Amino acid sequence: MIKTIIVDDEFNAREFLEKLLQRSFPDRFLVLAKCESVDEAVLAIDKFNPELVFLDVQMPSKNGFELFKEIKDVNFEVIFTTAHSEFAIDAIKCSALDYLLKPINTIDLLETIKKYDSKLNKASQQDKLTLLLENIDTGGSEFKKIAFPTESGFELIKTNAILYCEADSNYCSIICLDGRKITLSKTLKYVEELLPSSIFQRIHKSYLVNLNYVIRFNKTNDLLIELTNGETLPVSFRQKEDFINAILQKK
């Protein structure tokens, strides 16, 4: 069950949302606390360590946004509840999962929980992938760490944690599996020479890709590859044959 806290200064609003969750999602949400203020919520979050918090925006004394001034590590998802749609912008700035306009209805709640489930599944898959990479035998050259020079020093990255590299004039960006983008004041050619040619293939003058994460190649009309994260990258006509040989392991 999803450990949940409801924060709203109105008693009826707290009770209604709890009943709506129970009716729409039987046995999915465990409401551990129903708080009427930010101060109460801070104590409840510290005590129960929730996974999801429904947070009212407009409350006396402290509004919902002020909760984030009281909590250092926000390791839960937040869904704001508000009677005013203009608060959605501030909700986004606070990295909320979503917001619900009052009075909350079943359809909007269902859509919001779908977003929660989708984000949870993506995070779970990423955690599994990260753990897999961390536990892979680092003795082989394909999985060793390489020190890439940055302005402040060096960035140590496992080669198989790199999704692809992109050229930008005399700079190069390294796109990692965890979503990080690391920009180096080095050319793509320089980075290419550091990485193992057994798994990294130049597909375009601007792209060097990790073949482990290529899931599809469309060779009709535009030459495109699709990566495991859903991104598509172009393959130049000049690089087409070498790329096909590489994915067919004919190099």
Side-chain angles (χ1 to χ4, degrees):
M1 298 181 76
I2 300 169
K3 296 189 295 181
T4 305
I5 288 177
I6 296 172
V7 186
D8 198 305
D9 64 302
E10 296 180 6
F11 173 81
N12 289 338
R14 297 193 300 270
E15 295 298 311
F16 175 77
L17 180 53
E18 182 180 28
K19 289 178 181 177
L20 193 59
L21 287 169
Q22 291 173 346
R23 184 170 68 245
S24 304
F25 306 94
D27 302 320
R28 278 215 62 196
F29 292 89
L30 176 62
V31 178
L32 297 168
K34 291 175 284 184
C35 309
E36 63 179 1
S37 68
V38 167
D39 291 336
E40 267 190 39
V42 170
L43 294 174
I45 289 167
D46 183 59
K47 178 179 179 180
F48 295 110
N49 190 27
E51 298 165 89
L52 180 63
V53 173
F54 288 90
L55 180 60
D56 186 23
V57 173
Q58 291 180 298
M59 292 183 287
S61 181
K62 295 178 183 178
N63 67 41
F65 300 125
E66 293 184 77
L67 176 75
F68 302 100
K69 298 177 183 178
E70 309 283 339
I71 298 176
K72 292 182 180 179
D73 297 319
V74 181
N75 55 2
F76 50 86
E77 293 293 345
V78 179
I79 297 173
F80 280 110
T81 59
T82 176
H84 303 282
S85 59
E86 61 266 24
F87 284 119
I89 296 173
D90 289 324
I92 292 169
K93 289 179 180 178
C94 287
S95 299
L97 172 70
D98 201 0
Y99 72 99
L100 289 167
L101 284 177
K102 295 180 178 180
I104 299 170
N105 62 65
T106 304
I107 294 174
D108 289 343
L109 180 63
L110 289 170
E111 287 301 314
T112 295
I113 299 306
K114 280 183 183 178
K115 290 183 182 179
Y116 174 81
D117 289 337
S118 176
K119 188 170 183 178
L120 197 67
N121 289 336
K122 287 179 182 178
S124 176
Q125 290 301 317
Q126 185 59 58
D127 289 343
K128 290 177 183 177
L129 181 56
T130 301
L131 183 61
L132 173 65
L133 291 171
E134 288 299 321
N135 290 327
I136 280 176
D137 178 14
T138 58
S141 62
E142 288 84 355
F143 300 102
K144 69 178 182 180
K145 285 186 178 180
I146 293 179
F148 293 98
T150 63
E151 289 184 357
S152 58
F154 291 92
E155 189 83 21
L156 294 170
I157 309 173
K158 284 184 178 180
T159 54
N160 216 39
I162 298 172
L163 195 59
Y164 66 91
C165 305
E166 181 179 2
D168 182 10
S169 186
N170 289 324
Y171 291 82
C172 178
S173 294
I174 296 176
I175 313 301
C176 300
L177 284 171
D178 58 10
R180 288 181 301 152
K181 180 179 180 180
I182 302 163
T183 301
L184 311 176
S185 55
K186 297 291 183 181
T187 64
L188 183 60
K189 187 177 187 303
Y190 174 90
V191 173
E192 183 177 9
E193 290 173 352
L194 292 178
L195 294 169
S197 60
S198 56
I199 59 173
F200 284 89
Q201 177 68 34
R202 181 73 78 103
I203 61 169
H204 188 278
K205 67 179 181 179
S206 298
Y207 295 102
L208 178 70
V209 67
N210 188 332
L211 295 174
N212 287 325
Y213 304 119
V214 177
I215 61 172
R216 190 169 292 107
F217 174 47
N218 182 358
K219 61 180 182 178
T220 59
N221 300 322
D222 295 331
L223 301 176
L224 294 172
I225 62 166
E226 183 179 344
L227 304 177
T228 52
N229 69 341
E231 285 191 68
T232 57
L233 300 177
V235 178
S236 68
F237 182 78
R238 180 178 295 179
Q239 300 290 344
K240 174 184 174 183
E241 186 176 347
D242 286 344
F243 172 69
I244 292 175
N245 286 338
I247 59 176
L248 295 177
Q249 299 181 341
K250 291 181 180 178
K251 289 183 67 177

